[in-house]
Amino acid sequence: MNTVAPRSDSLTDGMHMLIDALRLNDVDTIYGVVGIPITDLARLAQASGIRYIGFRHESAAGHAAAVAGFLTKKPGVLLTVSGPGFLNGMVAAANATVNCFPLVHIAGSSDRSTVDMQRGDYEELDQMAAAKPFVKASFRINRVQDIGRGVARAIRTAASGRPGGVYLDVPASVLTETMDAVAAGDTLWRVADPAPALHPAAERITDALTLLAGARQPLIVLGKGAAYAQADDTIRAFIEQTGIPFLPMSMAKGLLPDGHPSSVAAARSLALRKADVVLLVGARLNWLLAQGEAPHWSPSAQFIQVDIDPSEFDSNQPIAVPLAGDIGSVMDDLVAALDQHPVTCPQLWQIELGEKRRSNDATMAARLAEDPHPMGFYNALRSVRDVLADRLEVYVVNEGANTLDIGRNVLDMSVPRHRLDCGTWGVMGIGLGYAIAAAVESGKPVVAIEGDSAFGFSGMEVETICRYQLPIVVVVLNNGGVYRGDDTDPTGTDPAPTVLSEGAHHEQVMTAFGGTGYHVTTPAELRTALGQALDAGRPALIDCALDVAAGTESGHLTNLNPRSAVPLSPIS
Ligand code: ADP
């Protein structure tokens, strides 16, 4: 029931108010899948000038919205139907939250009075309650006059502090509820400065520089929080003025070019093992950094951590100097204080890391020079690397097991925020959603390098790529299996659990929807096909026939994969 007194002759409704509130907050793109009760909402968004990108599955749409948030620093918006569509989208909302990407997931929901009494409504689910464990916050708009507040609250919560996913539940009855149009306008507002700058105390800056100045083997670790912060110049200034070596986490690659003299990506193990003072910039000491533990790290290493979320400090190791603030402000403060508290990296440490880097580079070059036939991961990825070497504007999406692990090492990045991959959860299924958002948000070409198993999780989005005619080239490294394709069922009955269809032609998925398909069997063919596809700027898929025996089970995560203590033999 509308509680606001009429102030004009015209009425508006919840759908119009929701779109108006989103536009007022600069939302220019919505990613989603339509259905009851949000189909008209998507139509209205489009009519209002918001770009609506329709997907084939909500998880892919949600991954797209999340990575749009990462790329733009504005919450991406995901629109889903109720019940199962909401749940599919929740996978992406949870992944966004874990990865610290700002996302607002809006879903329509069924009639409250029926759902709350569990009387069995169409797609009945208490979505607000279901979302809570997976996102930063979960809100429901129960009255049409709260739509502006709900949108503002969702955007503020997603973008401020540690970014993350927010769920916004909008019952169908609120979408159609009417209200006086003038009074409705007064209930909407624009969020001012969604993520305000936050500086740490000056003493902490001094503490950090003092600790770094006394270090014999200092190291800077750049995480995807540093990439997200868009503080590229000040981060570079700090690294170049101090000469401290830096290690980019995978999605921070390109923040400074991988070829930068201070990059120790190619001497990672040595840098971690011997660093005595470590400055973590937007990187958590989670499993991706071995929780900061020996033997990967020196047991006496001291950590300085820059993070927007103070509760991150001490989550794994004692943080000697917590620098709570946004990375742009903190790094500005650090650079500004260098005059008074100079830091110079000891040359011996630079030389030691430089030598290790050169020897590891030589090992990699030798590996890339091998040319097995059928192709393996290294010689296939070498071709991708060669083609991308002078196409720095191309976004790289990368998922799979071996495809990811080897791709991360082989493919150099030179431009910030141009590498998008499985991230904190190591999740599969982000590939085509991330690729679509990168193309939509940037208008630039994208190469999505996918393991054949990983591709399957979002493969139907090839149709989305073709429908919107996006400049995306999907490269499927096809070894016919999860990890690899040469396992057998001991009973001889079925394909083994890790086996997929050998000799599959994934390019036919692309040609089915009007894109260009290539099937290649040699690195030279791959190089030619990728060059041609990128020049054409149209949807394309290159299926690369790899040796079914290429690859390692679980890629670089073999140690995380429990293996049966006794031999796996047929059980009768
Ligand atoms: P990676 O996986 O690359 O190591 P993580 O996702 O583990 O990176 O860490 C990112 C960290 O960055 C999170 O702890 C998050 O709170 C932090 N962060 C995100 N954005 C900012 C920002 N603008 N300023 C400061 N810290 C940020």
Side-chain angles (χ1 to χ4, degrees):
M1 182 67 144
N2 179 7
T3 57
V4 181
R7 287 175 40 200
S8 72
D9 292 342
S10 62
L11 289 176
T12 185
D13 67 7
M15 291 202 194
H16 285 80
M17 289 172 67
L18 187 50
I19 297 303
D20 287 347
L22 293 172
R23 289 180 62 216
L24 193 58
N25 283 283
D26 296 335
V27 171
D28 51 20
T29 308
I30 293 177
Y31 299 88
V33 180
V34 293
I36 296 170
I38 49 92
T39 307
D40 251 5
L41 193 63
R43 288 198 184 103
L44 193 59
Q46 195 169 51
S48 80
I50 292 179
R51 192 157 191 215
Y52 174 80
I53 307 290
F55 282 67
R56 304 302 297 262
H57 192 281
E58 292 87 352
S59 292
H63 291 313
V67 99
F70 169 73
L71 291 170
T72 63
K73 259 186 130 175
K74 289 189 329 190
V77 176
L78 164 66
L79 183 63
T80 69
V81 301
S82 45
F86 151 83
L87 285 172
N88 287 340
M90 235 339 93
V91 171
N95 188 56
T97 307
V98 165
N99 281 280
C100 315
F101 300 160
L103 167 80
V104 175
H105 175 179
I106 301 172
S109 56
S110 306
D111 180 64
R112 288 256 46 84
S113 60
T114 313
V115 173
D116 288 352
M117 291 289 287
Q118 298 184 24
R119 293 172 58 203
D121 206 351
Y122 167 75
E123 294 188 345
E124 176 179 296
L125 182 67
D126 184 352
Q127 296 167 195
M128 182 178 74
K132 272 190 178 145
F134 302 114
V135 287
K136 274 183 87 175
S138 179
F139 304 119
R140 177 177 295 130
I141 299 173
N142 284 304
R143 310 179 305 172
V144 70
Q145 64 267 35
D146 283 339
I147 285 178
R149 179 174 289 109
V151 167
R153 196 131 167 66
I155 287 177
R156 170 73 72 191
T157 308
S160 63
R162 171 179 280 174
V166 173
Y167 175 60
L168 192 57
D169 194 78
V170 194
S173 56
V174 176
L175 288 172
T176 51
E177 195 176 339
T178 56
M179 183 173 172
D180 174 81
V182 173
D186 293 344
T187 65
L188 311 183
W189 73 84
R190 180 184 169 83
V191 175
D193 193 7
L198 198 61
H199 289 263
E203 311 89 79
R204 293 290 85 75
I205 293 290
T206 312
D207 291 348
L209 294 179
T210 307
L211 193 57
L212 282 169
R216 283 182 301 124
Q217 284 140 336
L219 177 68
I220 295 173
V221 179
L222 301 175
K224 57 180 162 326
Y228 174 77
Q230 300 193 8
D232 313 339
D233 292 346
T234 183
I235 290 171
R236 179 190 272 261
F238 188 78
I239 287 170
E240 293 188 342
Q241 286 179 39
T242 60
I244 299 176
F246 72 92
L247 175 73
M249 300 299 287
S250 66
M251 281 180 60
K253 274 164 74 78
L255 201 44
L256 281 82
D258 279 330
H260 191 282
S262 293
S263 168
V264 290
R268 178 188 164 102
S269 305
L270 177 72
L272 297 194
R273 205 169 57 245
K274 294 189 84 171
D276 60 353
V277 177
V278 183
L279 174 64
L280 299 162
V281 184
R284 287 170 283 188
L285 277 179
N286 56 17
W287 70 280
L288 289 159
L289 284 170
Q291 270 91 14
E293 286 173 358
H296 303 279
W297 294 83
S298 158
S300 58
Q302 290 186 281
F303 293 96
I304 304 164
Q305 187 162 24
V306 184
D307 208 289
I308 193 82
D309 182 357
S311 71
E312 181 59 36
F313 306 135
D314 301 292
S315 53
N316 278 291
Q317 297 298 329
I319 299 300
V321 186
L323 294 172
D326 73 281
I327 286 163
S329 301
V330 178
M331 296 310 293
D332 279 349
D333 292 352
L334 285 170
V335 171
L338 278 176
D339 278 348
Q340 286 204 318
H341 304 280
V343 175
T344 308
C345 179
Q347 255 192 348
L348 269 179
W349 177 229
Q350 291 170 329
I351 292 168
E352 183 179 359
L353 288 169
E355 279 167 4
K356 184 66 183 167
R357 175 180 165 169
R358 273 187 294 283
S359 92
N360 284 352
D361 279 347
T363 309
M364 174 63 88
R367 199 151 203 186
L368 291 175
E370 289 167 9
D371 209 9
H373 187 79
M375 279 189 283
F377 285 92
Y378 282 93
N379 58 341
L381 284 163
R382 184 192 65 208
S383 291
V384 177
R385 190 187 68 159
D386 291 349
V387 175
L388 297 186
D390 56 359
R391 299 173 193 254
L392 304 186
E393 80 286 6
V394 174
Y395 282 78
V396 172
V397 173
N398 195 189
E399 68 171 334
N402 295 279
T403 305
L404 175 82
D405 291 333
I406 301 172
R408 185 174 47 225
N409 294 339
V410 171
L411 302 170
D412 285 340
M413 302 305 300
S414 301
V415 183
R417 293 168 292 283
H418 273 52
R419 182 185 160 84
L420 308 169
D421 67 26
C422 303
T424 304
W425 261 349
V427 68
M428 297 299 134
I430 48 89
L432 299 200
Y434 279 12
I436 289 167
V440 166
E441 298 292 331
S442 72
K444 296 281 190 314
V446 179
V447 174
I449 305 155
E450 305 272 315
D452 54 334
S453 162
F455 172 73
F457 288 79
S458 64
M460 193 63 192
E461 302 304 339
V462 161
E463 191 276 328
T464 310
I465 293 172
C466 290
R467 192 168 8 110
Y468 290 93
Q469 281 298 298
L470 297 170
I472 296 173
V473 183
V474 183
V475 175
V476 178
L477 297 188
N478 177 9
N479 64 354
V482 183
Y483 311 127
R484 47 197 277 167
D486 59 349
D487 206 358
T488 49
D489 169 8
T491 68
T493 313
D494 278 324
T498 56
V499 161
L500 299 172
S501 299
E502 188 177 349
H505 280 249
H506 296 90
E507 77 280 6
Q508 291 177 7
V509 181
M510 182 59 85
T511 55
F513 301 106
T516 307
Y518 301 86
H519 180 76
V520 301
T521 58
T522 67
E525 286 173 6
L526 172 52
R527 206 173 295 123
T528 306
L530 183 55
Q532 272 178 13
L534 282 169
D535 288 343
R538 294 191 63 250
L541 190 150
I542 306 172
D543 185 64
C544 309
L546 260 54
D547 189 344
V548 291
T552 311
E553 178 139 335
S554 309
H556 290 184
L557 303 182
T558 306
N559 59 319
L560 296 182
N561 188 14
R563 303 302 296 264
S564 171
V566 292
L568 300 175
S569 45
I571 298 167
S572 51

